[in-house]
Amino acid sequence: MRIFSGIQPTGRKHLGNHIGAVRGYLEGQERGDPAIYCIVDLHAVTVAYDPSSLRSFVLDTLAMLMASGLDPDRSILFRQSDVHEHTELCWLLSSVTAHGDLNRMTQFKEKSASQRELASAGLFLYPVLQAADVLAYRAHEVPVGDDQRQHVELMRDIAERFNAAFGDVLVVPEHRIPTVGARIMDLQVPGNKMSTTGSEERGLIFVDEEEKSIVKKVKSAVTDSGSEVRRSPDKPGITNLIDILAVIRGAAPEDVEREFEGQGYGAFKGAVAEAVVDYLRPVRERYAELRPDERALESVLGGGADRARAIASETLADVRHAMGVGPPA
Ligand code: ATP
Ligand code: MG
């Protein structure tokens, strides 16, 4: 079972990334042969960004993953731009990707609409590069949050179309999306997912956030004017907090509803805040230890890239051969 997933170094990562994705990475570390996790800096340049921060965001993201329990001796942890096979494969796969499919991608529509200066072609091709990331490793499984369901569907189509056209070279991957917590919502705009680049600070809980600030943000999370702690489409704020508490406790959302029956939002939010603080505390503490040693972090990325390249270059050789690209093998 080969497992692959990627995470963007676009800023401080949040509780949604942790609950929706990183927990799946940790579970994958137990089963993956190998589990491969990539910090996708080439995806990060598809929206407006600050070049002087990108390298340090990569290290922040790596330190966060390691603080959460990913172990570079067990999983392959690397930086996307260190393995050139991804970009070459992206180009080759673009020949079996339908323009119309890319145009339909929800993430493309949302992100291109929210760009102030430039909706880049990179944003349009984002899912093809993502397909290349996964397909280069012939991964069977892709742990992601719910927002990436559509992109994994697309990469399956791309792999199938490639295999139909050029022979059975690529593995068609499957997503692995958690049943609860796959879409953590913005605390201030509970109709939108919590997003590294799209949310305002008050709507996010950062993985390395100070405890006091977590409590404040949870207590001021937007909820409806009712008082029942119950999930419902017209109560997106409360539903989100119920999901968060359920995931952290390893309980069903129904259990959370039952526990807080007859209690007001105040008591409930207090319990959620405390649970989130306890959940993130060990990660924040370990992060503070790991993040300062940049040489050690770079060395993890270097070692990871060597291991990743060894796998990806084999796939690329097969793809080039099948497509008639380059000199004969
Ligand atoms: P952006 O909104 O700028 O794309 P992001 O917050 O989605 O940033 P990514 O690095 O793109 O962060 O996503 C990393 C992983 O986290 C992906 O698997 C994604 O599905 C998951 N994820 C992102 N946001 C959430 C969320 N709100 N709830 C659950 N999972 C999420
Ligand atoms: Mg995203």
Side-chain angles (χ1 to χ4, degrees), residues 123-301:
L123 212 42
F124 185 70
L125 288 171
Y126 186 113
V128 190
L129 180 59
Q130 191 177 353
D133 293 342
V134 173
L135 301 180
Y137 298 90
R138 295 187 165 115
H140 304 99
E141 208 175 270
V142 191
V144 283
D146 182 66
D147 64 303
Q148 294 303 310
R149 184 185 297 271
Q150 198 182 30
H151 287 174
V152 179
E153 279 306 314
L154 179 68
M155 72 178 72
R156 289 172 57 84
D157 292 345
I158 292 173
E160 280 166 0
R161 200 173 295 120
F162 183 97
N163 287 347
F166 301 113
D168 218 2
V169 174
L170 299 175
V171 169
V172 181
E174 292 190 20
H175 63 64
R176 193 172 174 92
I177 296 175
T179 44
V180 184
R183 183 179 285 266
I184 301 299
M185 308 310 275
D186 185 301
L187 297 181
Q188 291 299 318
V189 193
N192 294 348
K193 85 165 187 86
M194 199 177 272
S195 156
T196 316
T197 58
S199 293
E200 289 195 15
E201 222 177 289
R202 290 185 317 147
L204 292 163
I205 292 174
F206 299 113
V207 173
D208 64 336
E209 183 128 15
E210 286 299 321
E211 305 197 345
K212 268 196 199 144
S213 170
I214 296 178
V215 173
K216 196 167 153 210
K217 284 179 174 180
V218 172
K219 292 204 165 158
S220 53
V222 166
T223 47
D224 57 279
S225 56
S227 62
E228 267 180 274
V229 179
R230 172 173 62 74
R231 284 170 308 152
S232 154
D234 62 349
K235 294 164 77 75
I238 284 294
T239 303
N240 189 37
L241 296 179
I242 292 175
D243 281 351
I244 291 173
L245 188 56
V247 176
I248 291 177
R249 290 210 181 145
E254 293 78 10
D255 297 332
V256 172
E257 289 173 335
R258 217 166 295 127
E259 179 180 341
F260 289 92
E261 214 174 297
Q263 299 190 43
Y265 288 170
F268 172 60
K269 283 181 166 178
V272 175
E274 193 185 317
V276 172
V277 163
D278 289 345
Y279 176 72
L280 292 178
R281 183 181 298 117
V283 185
R284 183 167 46 84
E285 287 174 357
R286 186 81 184 108
Y287 179 87
E289 292 166 10
L290 290 167
R291 180 61 184 85
D293 194 348
E294 300 202 340
R295 278 180 59 180
L297 294 171
E298 280 294 350
S299 134
V300 165
L301 293 173

